[in-house]
Amino acid sequence: MQTALYSKNRSVTESCALERPARATDPAFPTAIAGSLLVFPTPLPYSVAWDLQSRLHHERLSDVRPDTVVILEHQPVYTLGRSTDECDWGGDEALLCANGTALYRVNRGGSATYHGPGQIVVYPILKLAQHAPGPRRLVQLLEDVIIRLLKHWDIDGHRIEKRPGIWVLTPQPAKIASIGIRIERGITLHGFALNVDMDLTPFQRIRPCGFADSLVSSMNALCGKTIPLDEVKSDLARIFSEVFSIEWTTVATHPDNHLTAADEFARIN
């Protein structure tokens, strides 16, 4: 039986307590920088998404591509981050993946999690120094994006001290978004996953983010209605642009698997 998460001894940061990013208040930063946005309409295998991330990271590191944000869904997959213990996922790959779900060990922070259709994943490939002084501030900015998105849909998202990700507190405390990042040679990898309209059953087979008492929820469950994924993807693109002060100068809404830095995307109107 899963137990309640929140107690008065844990610190909760309200959704309204949001800071503006350094770029928006520091004259040393330009008002906005150019960025590229890739939005996939159908779920991708994790291996394909990882190959794309790796290629974009190399191109950003080589300065042949601007900051790039990828918004997508995954085909069913469990991923194990750098801090994953065997007890977080059971240690039996055949049992965990008996229904055809994939399993990958990845180099992001955090423990075990699940991705699947109806969960929107955002992978920012950014030059960290242009946005934050370090990983902690980057995570705070990603949290701001999630909280503002939820607020747009009349859902109150919260930070809970020592509990990574974003949480809802009613009808009971539950995690609605997970965050796991990596900084490699000054360029960010991985990102966050937001449960929108998905089957939450696979989370019951693991300890999400390493917490045995962690409940999970979704926007659909909280709103009591079907949430249009395309609308949420569009909202995330807009809010990410606002929080990170990025102007989407190029966008692809149906990118293929062979994108390179030289590709010309349809310009945003």
Side-chain angles (χ1 to χ4, degrees):
M1 165 112 29
Q2 291 177 304
T3 57
L5 170 66
Y6 176 69
S7 75
K8 63 182 179 181
N9 295 322
R10 291 199 176 98
S11 174
V12 178
T13 302
E14 297 297 335
S15 58
C16 59
L18 303 176
E19 298 179 57
R20 299 191 71 197
R23 179 175 303 281
T25 56
D26 188 341
F29 287 103
T31 21
I33 61 172
S36 182
L37 176 67
L38 311 181
V39 183
F40 287 81
T42 56
L44 291 185
Y46 190 85
S47 59
V48 171
W50 173 245
D51 286 346
L52 176 61
Q53 270 198 85
S54 299
R55 185 160 65 252
L56 296 177
H57 181 275
H58 174 73
E59 292 173 357
R60 186 68 190 97
L61 183 63
S62 303
D63 276 328
V64 296
R65 146 178 310 280
D67 284 349
T68 300
V69 174
V70 183
I71 300 179
L72 51 73
E73 300 164 69
H74 281 302
Q75 294 178 5
V77 60
Y78 290 103
T79 64
L80 312 179
R82 295 194 307 270
S83 63
T84 305
D85 293 327
E86 187 172 293
C87 61
D88 294 338
W89 64 285
D92 188 332
E93 181 175 352
L95 180 62
L96 186 65
C97 302
N99 62 351
T101 302
L103 175 68
Y104 287 92
R105 289 189 178 275
V106 297
N107 61 359
R108 60 163 171 79
S111 183
T113 195
Y114 170 77
H115 302 301
Q119 178 196 69
I120 297 178
V121 181
V122 178
Y123 291 132
I125 313 297
L126 312 175
K127 186 169 288 188
L128 179 65
Q130 294 188 147
H131 301 280
R136 179 171 296 188
R137 179 60 181 145
L138 173 67
V139 170
Q140 290 174 342
L141 292 173
L142 295 176
E143 290 171 342
D144 284 357
V145 171
I146 301 166
I147 291 172
R148 294 182 190 202
L149 180 282
L150 293 173
K151 194 68 174 177
H152 178 73
W153 288 87
D154 296 322
I155 298 171
D156 289 329
H158 302 264
R159 298 173 172 95
I160 297 181
E161 186 178 357
K162 298 182 180 179
R163 297 274 179 161
I166 296 300
W167 304 79
V168 293
L169 302 183
T170 56
Q172 56 187 326
K175 193 167 193 175
I176 195 168
S178 58
I179 299 174
I181 63 168
R182 179 178 176 84
I183 312 298
E184 193 169 300
R185 300 179 68 183
I187 308 298
T188 68
L189 281 164
H190 302 288
F192 67 81
L194 173 64
N195 302 337
V196 181
D197 187 2
M198 66 182 302
D199 178 13
L200 299 174
T201 306
F203 285 104
Q204 297 175 6
R205 302 186 182 102
I206 60 173
R207 293 181 175 181
C209 302
F211 296 112
D213 60 354
S214 179
L215 302 176
V216 293
S217 189
S218 67
M219 294 175 64
N220 177 60
L222 293 167
C223 292
K225 62 181 181 181
T226 300
I227 303 294
L229 291 169
D230 288 345
E231 287 188 33
V232 178
K233 289 177 182 178
S234 178
D235 291 338
L236 281 169
R238 173 180 54 79
I239 294 170
F240 198 101
S241 171
E242 294 169 355
V243 170
F244 281 83
S245 294
I246 297 177
E247 179 185 356
W248 303 128
T249 53
T250 59
V251 61
T253 55
H254 292 78
D256 62 25
N257 297 334
H258 307 288
L259 291 169
T260 68
D263 288 330
E264 289 292 333
F265 307 133
R267 294 188 66 86
I268 298 177
N269 294 326

